[in-house]
Amino acid sequence: MMSKLTIDAARTIIRETLAKAHDMGLKPMSVIVLDAGGHPLAFEREDGAAPGRYAIAEGKAYGAVMLGMPGSAQMARAEAQHYFMTAANGAFGGKVVPVPGGVILRGDDGEILGGVGVTGDTSDNDAEAALAGIAAAGLKGDA
């Protein structure tokens, strides 16, 4: 395992996430990798994916990084305490998309290195593809 998020790792995550999505027979995907500050390192939108998927992918990854919880936990929190996620999203300018497919990237010590946002198919399928891409890059994913 590695404990640093590099541009090469980000490119590997994207390439291998898309490969997993193809193996799974998913719809056209969009994948973004953000650093620990929530800034984009790399993004790719496949042919046939709607242009608005950039904002969705970024929102999934951004919420994971900024809240320190994966999309699945954000969705559960939104269902249990809607007011909290609404307030948090307001604090972040409406950028958070609290559903699966927003995955935290962690180093060996558990430190948050960044986040991955995947969108295009069902949220659970998006998350599964992301985890495969993250593992291929030698990092840990928290979906």
Side-chain angles (χ1 to χ4, degrees):
M1 292 283 180
M2 68 173 70
S3 282
K4 186 176 180 189
L5 179 59
T6 64
I7 187 65
D8 287 338
R11 290 175 177 148
T12 297
I13 291 167
I14 290 173
R15 181 181 66 248
E16 297 301 322
T17 296
L18 295 175
K20 178 66 172 178
H22 295 162
D23 289 347
M24 293 171 67
L26 304 185
K27 296 174 184 172
M29 306 298 284
S30 295
V31 185
I32 194 166
V33 179
L34 305 182
D35 66 17
H39 306 288
L41 284 178
F43 171 76
E44 192 165 315
R45 179 173 57 92
E46 291 189 300
D47 293 340
R53 291 291 179 172
Y54 176 88
I56 295 170
E58 184 181 33
K60 287 182 175 189
Y62 191 79
V65 171
M66 291 297 135
L67 293 170
M69 66 174 79
S72 57
Q74 292 174 56
M75 187 169 83
R77 187 78 182 264
E79 290 169 350
Q81 295 179 308
H82 180 72
Y83 60 88
F84 171 79
M85 285 305 299
T86 299
N89 209 358
F92 295 126
K95 287 179 66 173
V96 175
V97 179
V99 296
V103 182
I104 297 173
L105 290 171
R106 294 191 187 274
D108 293 335
D109 60 0
E111 177 185 2
I112 294 176
L113 303 176
V116 176
V118 179
T119 183
D121 206 89
T122 66
S123 293
D124 289 338
N125 284 342
D126 295 343
E128 183 177 341
L131 288 172
I134 291 165
L139 293 167
K140 297 175 186 173
D142 184 1

